[in-house]
Amino acid sequence: MSGFVATAPTAATSETDAIANDGWFPNLSMTQLRAVARLDGTVTEERLRDAARYAMSAINRRLAAFKAAHQATGVTKLADVPDAGTIDGENRLVMLYRRAVQCTVKADLIERYRDFDSTDSGLRRADYMDPAIGEQRRNATWAVREILGQPHTIVELI
């Protein structure tokens, strides 16, 4: 029996599936990232690791003041922030942190994979993907704002 495979198979996961974070924020699993962000084998392990490390750095920077405030009270990691709550047995803040990183990774990869096809049809597809990039960045921002306890939108009258 034969069939058509529309996506590239994912590469075998290396021994270093986890991307180590700074100790306060959680590590990230590349296998889980691939599954949640729907990334197939066209995204190489090296490219995924690079995008994930950038995203972790960016989200860590956005949450630096939050981290410092909690460290000052003796909290040693994000999962230990008091009154965070759990959803499906997982710490809510860890879940939101992971979502912020995953959405940032996905947006970054969508932007960077535009260079595969520079023909007219490729440029039209790139324009089609612009909303997806914005949606992923929005979702990352919302996750960060949820961690910070802030509303999703800020409205200012001029």
Side-chain angles (χ1 to χ4, degrees):
M1 179 182 252
S2 65
F4 176 73
V5 178
T7 59
T10 58
T13 306
S14 71
E15 306 89 41
T16 56
D17 178 61
I19 301 172
N21 211 327
D22 67 356
W24 201 84
F25 291 109
N27 296 342
L28 189 71
S29 164
M30 289 191 25
T31 302
Q32 184 182 31
L33 177 58
R34 274 191 192 281
V36 172
R38 293 183 352 194
L39 300 171
D40 63 19
T42 58
V43 179
T44 65
E45 187 170 343
E46 296 80 13
R47 186 168 252 187
L48 178 60
R49 183 173 292 278
D50 180 65
R53 287 171 34 197
Y54 165 78
M56 290 166 79
S57 174
I59 300 303
N60 291 1
R61 182 183 52 78
R62 290 174 69 180
L63 294 171
F66 176 83
K67 174 184 171 182
H70 284 286
Q71 281 181 319
T73 65
V75 175
T76 59
K77 60 184 179 180
L78 181 63
D80 293 340
V81 172
D83 301 323
T86 60
I87 296 175
D88 197 26
E90 182 177 21
N91 181 288
R92 189 177 76 77
L93 298 180
V94 171
M95 177 197 66
L96 289 166
Y97 175 83
R98 191 178 309 112
R99 180 174 174 83
V101 171
Q102 290 163 346
C103 290
T104 302
V105 166
K106 183 78 172 192
D108 186 47
L109 289 172
I110 291 170
E111 284 178 333
R112 292 172 58 200
Y113 266 72
R114 292 181 192 200
D115 61 358
F116 268 105
D117 186 350
S118 58
T119 64
D120 186 46
S121 65
L123 292 174
R124 274 181 278 162
R125 271 182 290 173
D127 290 341
Y128 171 74
M129 294 305 293
D130 281 343
I133 295 165
E135 289 166 2
Q136 292 296 328
R137 296 218 185 273
R138 177 206 62 207
N139 291 341
T141 297
W142 283 1
V144 168
R145 293 183 70 77
E146 284 283 329
I147 291 169
L148 298 173
Q150 299 173 341
H152 289 190
T153 57
I154 297 174
V155 178
E156 185 176 316
L157 296 175
I158 300 176

